[in-house]
Every structure is written in structure tokens, then in C-alpha cells.
Amino acid sequence: MTAENSATQSGPVAVKGSGHGPSGTGSPADGVRPDSRGTLLAVLGVLSFSLTFPSTAWGLESFGPWSLVALRGGLAALLAGGFLLARRVPPPERRHRGGLAVVAGGVVVGFPLLTTLALETSTTAHAAVVVGLLPLTTAAFGAVRTGRRPSRSFWVAALAGAAVVIAFAVRQSGGALSAGDLYLFGALLVCAAGYTEGGRLAREMPGWQVVGWALVGCLPLSVAGAAVALSFEPVRLSAHGVIGLVWVAAGSTFFGLYVWYRGMASIGIARASQLQLAQPVLTLVWSVLLLGEHLTPAAPLAAVAVLVCIVVTQRSRA
């Protein structure tokens, strides 16, 4: 989800069997080591997520924010539902439904909606730096949720990263937080809650199934939301708009999460987290190449500072 990942979940990802059976992570290609294949899948996930904000900006050229989010969720849910059906995955147990609702509210609905609203007034580069704080926010939520006590260096790095992002947002917004910044900070909170709960569920069922059922559970809401939003918001179809919608639905939300969870199950959360560090920087690159945005010197500096803080927290947690 950028923000559409959960490498910062606390605890291992549970995979049934050896990870190569019908309900596991699939059989590796002949001659390809599982670790190498897992790394490739995780890299594909990071690349998919890094394109989310530029694709959302393209989608907003054709659709209103509410329409775009509803269509995105609906299309991704149809893909996920078809995949779960094809794999003959049984419905989740009743005891998992509350957790899935939290994942759906944070990852499927809350984060896409709040970041889409933010991108109406914020640049993708600005959003990438702010949402780059998501791993730290998720780690903090995880510490509270699990009752663990991270080291002092963890909290110092986490607070330093938060301070960098807040200072960057205030500076870029002319001395005060803008409405777009408030949306982005709200997105951090709801997505971190969803990722944390997803991390808990991933100990009991494959992570990609957690995401799949969360998407399917939101399908009625997505369909109803699309019907209402499309009746109020104008639609101006363009190539960019259609490509943006297709990518955030099929690329970022479905394909990205699927390969990310499978890769993470193969190589482990710690190694996957290191790959995720490149995501904000990649989004900055895409914002220039695809959208023609001009980066201020503060954007890459702030992104690097946040990445350093994330590295410190990862090592502190380990």
C-alpha cells in the first residue's frame, strides 16, 4: 500500500506447510533458489508500491477522489476474490473476522482514501516523504499492540524520524500543516493499525490471504460507494486516468500486495524491510519522470534522513 506494505509487522508470517503446497507460497521455478525467488518477489512488490502515488495522481485526472478509491477497491476485490476462488481457499474463521475488519478499514479503505484526498493538493514527492514514516509508525503501533518494549535507541530514532517529517511538512506548506498534510498523517495512523493487525493475523494464516479476504470483505462497500460517487463526481476519461486506475487496483493493491507477502514469507520480514527502504526514493524518481514534478532540495534530504532512522529502528528491534 508505499504505504501499501507490511514489512514492519511484528512477528513472523505464518505459512502453512513448507510454503510450496496448495495453501503455501507456491513452488519455486526449477533451478531457482527459494531465497532468490523470494527476493525477486519482494522487489517487485516494492516497485509496485512505489508507483502508487504517481498512478493515483494520474487517476485523479479522470475521476474524483471518492470515485477513484471506490473503483480501485472494487476492481482489486474482484481480482482477489477470483484468485481465492481459483485456489479454493476456505472462508476465514469467525475469530479472524474482527481483525480482518481492522485490516480492511486501515489498508483497503482508510489509507487509499486519505492519500487520494491528500494528492488533490499535495505533490507526490511531498506525500512520499511524509508517508515514508509509515514503517516507524507501524513499528510503534506494533510495540503497543504486542506489549513489547523496544530499546531506547528505537524510540529515539522513531521520534527523530517523526520530527524530520513534521519539519519537512511544515516547511513545504509555508509554516503550518496543510489539509493535505493532515490527510497524510491520518493515513499513517489508520494504515499502521491495519498493518499491525495484519501482522497478528499473518501468524495464523498466509499474509496474502489476509489481504485477499480484507479486499473481498470491502466489495459491497466499494460497489455502493462507486455507485454514489460516480453520480456526483464528473468523469473525464483519458489515457492517463484509465492507466492510473488500472494500476492502483491491479498493480499496487492486488499484484503488489500478493507478490510482497509471498516474497516476505520466503525471505523473512527483516530482509524484506531492508528492500522497502528504497520505496520513498523510488517514488521521488517516478514523480519526476512520470509527472514532471520538480523536487526541492529538502525532499531527497528528508527522505534520506527518514531512511536512516528506519535503519536504526530495524536494527534496534532485531
Side-chain angles (χ1 to χ4, degrees), residues 53-273:
F53 285 172
S55 299
T56 300
W58 274 8
L60 287 172
E61 294 181 15
S62 293
F63 305 95
W66 295 89
S67 300
L68 180 61
V69 171
L71 291 171
R72 166 184 178 172
L75 292 175
L78 290 175
L79 290 171
F83 194 76
L84 290 168
L85 186 63
R87 297 291 298 271
R88 298 182 180 179
V89 178
E93 299 178 22
R94 183 182 297 272
R95 62 192 177 93
H96 292 150
R97 293 176 186 174
L100 287 172
V102 176
V103 176
V107 179
V108 180
V109 178
F111 184 83
L113 177 60
L114 291 171
T115 52
T116 300
L117 291 172
L119 287 172
E120 286 199 294
T121 57
S122 297
T123 65
T124 59
H126 182 95
V129 173
V130 175
V131 177
L133 193 62
L134 181 59
L136 299 182
T137 310
T138 305
F141 265 78
V144 174
R145 180 71 172 82
T146 61
R148 295 179 179 178
R149 296 182 178 181
S151 66
R152 181 177 300 178
S153 60
F154 168 88
W155 290 115
V156 169
L159 292 174
V164 168
V165 169
I166 292 173
F168 169 79
V170 170
R171 178 183 175 85
Q172 295 291 101
S173 301
L177 293 176
S178 66
D181 291 321
L182 297 179
Y183 284 135
L184 291 171
F185 284 119
L188 285 174
L189 296 177
V190 298
C191 193
Y195 280 162
T196 301
E197 194 62 23
R200 186 187 67 82
L201 289 174
R203 299 174 183 176
E204 304 178 31
M205 57 193 298
W208 64 269
Q209 292 184 21
V210 174
V211 176
W213 287 119
L215 285 166
V216 170
C218 287
L219 181 57
L221 179 62
S222 297
V223 172
V228 173
L230 289 172
S231 67
F232 286 96
E233 294 179 335
V235 175
R236 299 174 294 272
L237 290 181
S238 67
H240 276 180
V242 173
I243 292 172
L245 170 61
V246 170
W247 182 260
V248 292
S252 300
T253 307
F254 176 70
F255 174 78
L257 287 171
Y258 176 70
V259 296
W260 173 253
Y261 271 104
R262 289 186 61 160
M264 187 170 58
S266 176
I267 66 176
I269 293 174
R271 288 178 62 185
S273 298

Side-chain angles (χ1 to χ4, degrees), residues 28-32:
D30 292 339
V32 180

